[in-house]
């Protein structure tokens, strides 16, 4: 038998199409030959001669395997057959889900047709790799060979966005997201675009992502070989910028990190930026807030705040008062919207606002002081490095783990809006910007509205044309806004909770894959993409970059010299 795509001898048959189970164009069973075996995720191919149409090649992926005794009628017959008392034969069979029919004449393979394991060009043909002009390595298959995604469904040509689901701490969602970024930057998939492509990562768990530019000391030679098989050289990220919030009550606004002491900058927004850019709505970023009447007060006050005057170091002067801290700003707003002077109160709160609505606004605004006082300020000398800059480094990490939930929402919302506005101003799709955001269900929940959710919907629906790509992750896709999930061309599933695995959001997984996702080990992901009708089960190598402080090795790829200056110029001196 010869491979029709290469005209070279192909692999020997591993079995024949089963005649006791029905075969359809979409799935069929294979009886495995006594001296052969098939395992889950093997790629197989068979052929059928169709009158008047020639030879039809049917390719597929093994989704189930089974073994049983032929000749046994009762459970106890297994002992008699094993002892040679009762005649019986062990028969193995494998169910195959069809991935490709060429040419597209959808006829079932005939019982008895030989089935062979696909290799080389036949494997690429079965998994549509041969039609991918730009292939992005996404991991290794069970056969140890590379698996790919079509970059056109990631970078916006034909689709965009990635969504990753799985149990926290087991599904390795963030680790796989960083692996995809590493593959983008270090493979030839992006070509010359890789140099200008940027990534923004929000770090929400410990200081795990603050050392992406360090070697991973736990990386073994076996894992290094996996990178080489994928066409990648193992190593850390080459260009990394790290931003962390200022320490609370620190007059110098030093970054609030424990383990990384260099190459990290404290970020904050000045009072002038907060007022000029109308950032007040992001203080009220809970999903339920937009359904309340006090949102009218929020937007009215935000517009009034823009009428002030900027002063040095980001200070703001309005109504004759100089504002240097967030608490001073909140006090000013409270005084104005609750003023006994009806003219002042209507000017700030709006003409038709009841005191009950104003009080609801004030309660929530005052409660934000503790969360945001270190992030919105003008009480320290202005620094050029305090603004989160996505364009200076290839990867930018914004650390949120030391911030309360309300402050995290504010930072994510404001940073995403600035990035989205910046891409709109560019007016072109390149360079590409990738945004990695975990806990997507918190920022784009299924119910309610919020400023952050509106931005994420904009990214999901219009980001493809602007060149901004969302790599979102969550434990439960069933709690995320449907439009965000629906616009994700590539969906990835790691280890799932058994109840979550039965939700309609995972309908793209065949039943066998849903069961496997419940017991999947860390490092195993189920990846579905538009061109391939069956999810690919991939294993990605152990990170070559440090994913926690105790893994960090040498910082082999330093950033620009100016980015290496510590916050304290006297740091390290005796």
């Amino acid at each position: 038998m010869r491979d029709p795509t290469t005209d070279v001898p192909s692999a020997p048959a591993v079995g024949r199409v089963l005649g006791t189970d029905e075969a359809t164009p979409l799935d069929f069973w294979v009886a495995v030959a006594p001296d052969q075996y098939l395992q889950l995720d093997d790629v197989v191919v068979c052929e059928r001669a169709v009158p008047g149409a020639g030879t039809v090649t049917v390719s597929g992926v093994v989704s189930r395997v089974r073994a049983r005794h032929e000749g046994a009628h009762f459970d106890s017959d297994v002992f008699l057959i094993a002892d040679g008392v009762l005649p019986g034969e062990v028969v193995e069979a494998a169910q195959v889900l069809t991935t490709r029919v060429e040419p597209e004449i959808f006829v079932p393979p005939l019982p008895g047709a030989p089935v062979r394991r696909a290799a080389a060009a036949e494997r690429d043909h079965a998994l549509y790799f041969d039609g991918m002009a730009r292939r992005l390595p996404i991991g290794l298959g069970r056969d140890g060979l590379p698996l790919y995604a079509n970059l056109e469904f990631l970078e916006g040509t034909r689709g965009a966005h990635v969504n990753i689901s799985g149990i926290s701490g087991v599904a390795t969602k963030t680790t796989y997201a960083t692996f995809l970024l590493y593959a983008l930057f270090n493979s030839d998939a992006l070509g010359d675009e890789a140099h200008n492509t940027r990534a923004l990562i929000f770090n929400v768990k410990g200081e795990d992502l603050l050392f992406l530019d360090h070697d991973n000391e736990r990386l073994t030679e076996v894992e290094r070989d996996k990178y080489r098989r994928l066409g990648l050289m193992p190593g850390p990220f080459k260009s990394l910028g790290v931003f962390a919030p200022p320490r609370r009550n620190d007059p110098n606004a030093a970054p609030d990190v424990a383990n990384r002491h260099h190459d990290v900058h404290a970020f904050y927004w000045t009072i002038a930026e907060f007022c000029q850019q109308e950032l007040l709505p992001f203080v009220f970023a809970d999903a339920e807030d937009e359904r309340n009447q006090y949102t009218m007060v929020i937007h009215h006050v935000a517009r009034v705040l823009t009428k002030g005057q900027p002063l040095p170091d980001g200070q703001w002067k309005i109504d004759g008062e100089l504002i240097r801290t967030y608490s001073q700003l909140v006090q000013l707003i409270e005084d104005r919207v609750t003023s006994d002077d009806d003219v002042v109160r209507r000017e700030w709160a709006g003409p038709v606002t009841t005191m009950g609505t104003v009080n609801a606004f004030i309660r929530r605004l005052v409660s934000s002081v503790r969360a945001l006082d270190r992030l919105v300020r003008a009480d320290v000398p202005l620094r050029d490095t305090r603004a989160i800059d996505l364009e200076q480094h290839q990867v930018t990490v914004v650390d949120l783990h030391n911030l309360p939930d309300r402050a995290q929402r504010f930072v994510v919302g404001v940073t995403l809006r600035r990035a989205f506005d910046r891409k709109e101003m560019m007016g072109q799709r390149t360079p590409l910007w990738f945004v990695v955001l975990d806990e997507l269900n918190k920022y784009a929940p299924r119910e309610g509205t919020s400023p952050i959710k509106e931005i994420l919907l904009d990214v999901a629906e219009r980001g493809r044309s602007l060149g901004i790509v969302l790599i979102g992750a969550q434990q439960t896709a069933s709690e995320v806004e449907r439009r965000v999930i629906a616009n994700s061309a590539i969906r990835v599933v790691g280890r799932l909770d058994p109840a979550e695995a039965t939700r309609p959001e995972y309908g793209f997984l065949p039943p066998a894959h849903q069961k496997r996702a419940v017991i999947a080990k860390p490092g195993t992901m189920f990846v579905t993409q538009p061109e391939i009708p069956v999810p690919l089960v991939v294993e990605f190598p152990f990170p070559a970059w440090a994913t926690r402080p105790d893994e960090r090795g040498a910082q082999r790829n330093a950033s620009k010299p100016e980015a290496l200056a510590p916050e304290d110029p006297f740091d390290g001196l005796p």
Side-chain angles (χ1 to χ4, degrees):
M1 186 175 297
R2 305 181 74 83
D3 180 354
T5 62
T6 61
D7 197 33
V8 297
S10 55
V14 293
R16 293 183 178 273
V17 176
L18 205 60
T20 53
D21 278 282
E22 63 179 20
T24 73
L26 302 180
D27 69 303
F28 55 94
W29 284 87
V30 176
V32 182
D35 58 341
Q36 298 288 339
Y37 76 94
L38 283 175
Q39 64 172 333
L40 294 175
D41 308 320
D42 275 347
V43 184
V44 297
V45 62
C46 66
E47 296 164 348
R48 172 182 172 176
V50 177
T55 300
V56 174
T57 302
V58 181
S59 309
V61 175
V62 175
S63 65
R64 292 176 60 190
V65 289
R66 73 185 187 200
R68 64 180 181 180
H69 268 140
E70 281 190 340
H73 298 282
F74 304 102
D75 292 346
S76 59
D77 286 349
V78 64
F79 300 105
L80 299 176
I81 294 174
D83 294 337
V85 176
L86 187 69
E89 292 289 338
V90 175
V91 176
E92 291 185 58
Q95 186 183 35
V96 177
L97 298 181
T98 301
T99 58
R100 191 167 185 176
V101 178
E102 192 70 32
E104 288 193 348
I105 300 176
F106 289 93
V107 293
L110 297 179
V115 177
R116 62 185 182 277
R117 189 178 279 107
E122 277 191 330
R123 179 179 180 273
D124 289 349
H125 179 81
L127 300 178
Y128 291 84
F129 296 160
D130 59 341
M132 297 181 182
R134 295 193 293 172
R135 304 190 300 185
L136 175 70
I138 57 175
L140 298 170
R142 192 172 296 276
D143 54 7
L145 298 176
L147 296 173
Y148 301 96
N150 191 339
L151 188 66
E152 293 182 351
F153 289 102
L154 180 61
E155 49 81 40
T157 301
R158 299 167 65 187
H161 312 308
V162 180
N163 186 263
I164 308 175
S165 302
I167 298 175
S168 179
V170 181
T172 57
K173 303 185 297 294
T174 305
T175 306
Y176 190 64
T178 54
F179 170 77
L180 289 178
L181 291 180
Y182 189 83
L184 280 164
F185 294 140
N186 293 276
S187 69
D188 59 356
L190 285 173
D192 295 336
E193 293 180 18
H195 180 73
N196 295 318
T197 300
R198 297 291 182 262
L200 168 65
I201 304 176
F202 291 100
N203 177 60
V204 297
K205 297 171 184 175
E207 297 186 1
D208 293 355
L209 299 179
L210 304 190
F211 303 96
L212 298 179
D213 56 343
H214 288 69
D215 282 316
N216 193 325
E217 290 188 333
R218 296 175 54 191
L219 190 67
T220 64
E221 191 58 36
V222 173
E223 296 297 323
R224 291 179 185 276
D225 182 62
K226 293 180 180 179
Y227 280 94
R228 298 185 188 103
R229 277 185 274 163
L230 290 168
L232 304 173
M233 288 301 296
F237 285 82
K238 299 176 182 178
S239 174
L240 180 71
V242 180
F243 293 86
R247 291 194 180 99
R248 184 178 296 280
N249 301 322
D250 186 340
N252 296 318
D256 189 7
V257 292
N259 294 289
R260 184 173 181 126
H261 305 295
H262 298 278
D263 310 340
V264 56
H265 303 295
F267 68 84
Y268 62 90
W269 289 265
T270 65
I271 300 294
E273 288 173 333
F274 184 87
C275 297
Q276 289 174 318
Q277 299 174 15
E278 298 187 43
L279 302 184
L280 183 63
F282 293 98
V283 176
F284 305 83
D286 294 335
E288 66 271 19
D289 286 336
E290 284 289 322
R291 297 179 293 178
N292 293 285
Q293 293 185 2
Y294 65 79
T295 56
M296 295 184 295
V297 182
I298 296 172
H299 296 289
H300 195 83
V301 171
R303 285 193 296 271
V304 174
L305 288 176
T306 63
K307 300 176 181 179
Q309 175 187 357
L311 294 176
D313 290 332
Q315 302 172 63
W316 192 250
K317 189 173 184 179
I318 185 169
D319 267 10
E321 295 194 25
L322 177 64
I323 307 298
R324 298 180 67 245
T325 66
Y326 182 70
S327 60
Q328 291 175 350
L329 181 64
V330 170
Q331 186 62 55
L332 171 73
I333 296 172
E334 181 180 3
D335 292 342
R336 297 301 187 269
V337 300
T338 59
S339 174
D340 294 332
D341 188 329
D342 288 344
V343 175
V344 174
R345 182 165 55 83
R346 284 197 299 269
E347 178 187 355
W348 280 78
V352 289
T353 306
T354 65
M355 284 308 299
T357 301
V358 170
N359 289 334
F361 164 76
I362 288 298
R363 284 196 304 272
R364 288 161 176 79
L365 179 64
V366 171
S367 68
S368 71
V369 172
R370 179 169 175 78
L372 299 181
D373 59 351
R374 55 174 162 163
L375 297 178
V376 181
R377 60 199 301 172
D379 57 346
V380 294
L382 198 60
R383 302 170 181 167
D384 293 336
T385 59
R386 52 103 199 151
I388 299 174
D389 186 358
L390 278 64
E391 299 181 62
Q392 184 177 3
H393 299 88
Q394 195 169 54
V395 179
T396 300
V397 175
V398 179
D399 183 33
L400 305 177
H401 84 280
N402 279 329
L403 293 176
D405 182 74
R406 192 167 190 174
Q408 290 185 9
R409 294 175 186 270
F410 177 82
V411 174
V412 170
V414 174
T415 305
L416 283 179
R417 192 184 83 168
R418 182 175 181 271
F420 193 79
D421 290 347
R422 174 73 176 131
K423 287 295 291 182
E424 280 191 313
M425 291 177 58
M426 288 181 180
Q428 57 185 14
R429 193 170 59 85
T430 55
L432 296 172
W433 287 8
F434 291 86
V435 176
V436 178
L437 179 60
D438 199 0
E439 300 181 357
L440 196 58
N441 54 297
K442 180 169 76 173
Y443 302 108
R446 178 151 297 189
E447 304 296 334
T449 59
S450 74
I452 304 177
K453 182 176 178 179
E454 294 305 314
I455 292 173
L456 287 170
L457 283 172
D458 258 352
V459 171
E461 296 175 342
R462 296 199 294 130
R464 170 187 168 187
S465 60
L466 296 174
I468 183 168
V469 178
L470 175 65
I471 303 179
Q474 67 284 316
Q475 293 190 50
T476 52
S478 59
E479 297 179 2
V480 178
E481 166 63 41
R482 290 184 179 90
R483 289 154 62 190
V484 174
I485 300 292
N487 279 281
S488 299
I490 298 177
R491 303 187 194 181
V492 183
V493 171
R495 175 79 167 268
L496 287 178
D497 176 79
E500 177 70 9
T502 62
R503 300 274 189 173
E505 288 72 20
Y506 304 96
F508 60 89
L509 291 177
H513 290 73
Q514 290 183 8
K515 294 179 180 178
R516 292 175 62 185
V518 175
I519 60 173
K521 65 180 182 179
T524 298
M525 314 299 284
F526 302 82
V527 182
T528 185
Q529 52 185 313
E531 280 184 319
I532 307 177
V534 176
L536 299 179
V537 183
V538 307
E539 294 185 2
F540 64 98
F542 193 77
W545 50 93
T547 59
R548 55 176 63 96
D550 59 356
E551 292 179 350
R552 58 180 166 172
Q555 187 180 9
R556 293 194 297 147
N557 302 295
S559 304
K560 298 178 182 178
E562 61 268 25
L564 297 178
E567 293 291 340
D568 182 0
F570 301 101
D571 185 31
L573 293 179

